[in-house]
Amino acid sequence: FDGNNWTQIVGLGAAGTITAPGFGNDNNESINGIEYSELDGKLILPVMNQSDGLQIYSYDGTTFTKIGQPGAGSWPDTQKTGQVASSHVENKLYLGTGNLSGVPAAELWSYDGTGWTKMSLSGVLDQANSFFYQPFVRGADLYVAAWNPTGCRIYKREGTGFTAFSEIGFNNPNNWTALLATYNGQMFGETANF
């Protein structure tokens, strides 16, 4: 949007190109973005793909580039969707993934602009998390909101591991998922009840 008009930048390119519908992949379903993240001046777009696994693209204002997909050095194709958050303090991107099947398989990854690193989940109290729904960066702190059918939870990075930062389901086990937001110096947890 240039202040007056919208311009479509994906979906009009030739089949198989990165500007074709679905970034050239017919299995790409939707851009997952609670909030969009930026790293090194590039917009980062996680794209849900239930056939091939989660795909990650960057956009520098002119060109789209695929910077992540299942395979060696990244997540398995069982990880179908994800959310990203960037840390300007660490100059890193954080990716929380999930498999959409309800099977405990959440993973957390970091990206430094050149490669992906799977993060240790040591210290996470509940291994039944099916989706790290939202990594959330606040200053130098990293939080992760976890989707869990026995009650969502917020975790906070402490050293190389994570500790629980909320009660299960915020004291209601029917709250399966949570999102985080910050406003006026305070952090808010928003839940969804299923």
Side-chain angles (χ1 to χ4, degrees), residues 104 123-130 132 146 148-153 155 164 168:
V124 174
L125 301 179
D126 191 342
Q127 298 298 319
N129 297 311
S130 57
F132 285 133
N148 191 313
T150 62
C152 63
R153 198 158 214 180
Y155 297 96
I168 294 173

Side-chain angles (χ1 to χ4, degrees), residues 113-173:
T114 60
W116 294 93
T117 302
K118 187 174 183 180
M119 296 180 67
S120 169
L121 299 180
S122 64
V124 174
L125 301 179
D126 191 342
Q127 298 298 319
N129 297 311
S130 57
F131 187 3
F132 285 133
Y133 198 67
Q134 181 195 22
F136 184 82
V137 176
R138 190 172 186 221
D141 294 325
L142 173 64
Y143 302 86
V144 180
W147 175 298
N148 191 313
T150 62
C152 63
R153 198 158 214 180
I154 307 299
Y155 297 96
K156 181 181 180 185
R157 179 176 55 187
E158 299 285 350
T160 59
F162 287 81
T163 59
F165 194 70
S166 72
E167 297 298 324
I168 294 173
F170 287 83
N171 294 316
N172 182 343

Side-chain angles (χ1 to χ4, degrees), residues 43-66:
L43 182 65
I44 308 298
L45 305 166
V47 178
M48 180 170 66
N49 185 317
Q50 294 191 63
S51 297
D52 307 322
L54 173 67
Q55 313 284 307
I56 309 291
Y57 298 86
S58 69
Y59 179 64
D60 65 5
T62 304
T63 305
F64 287 93
T65 304
K66 186 185 289 187

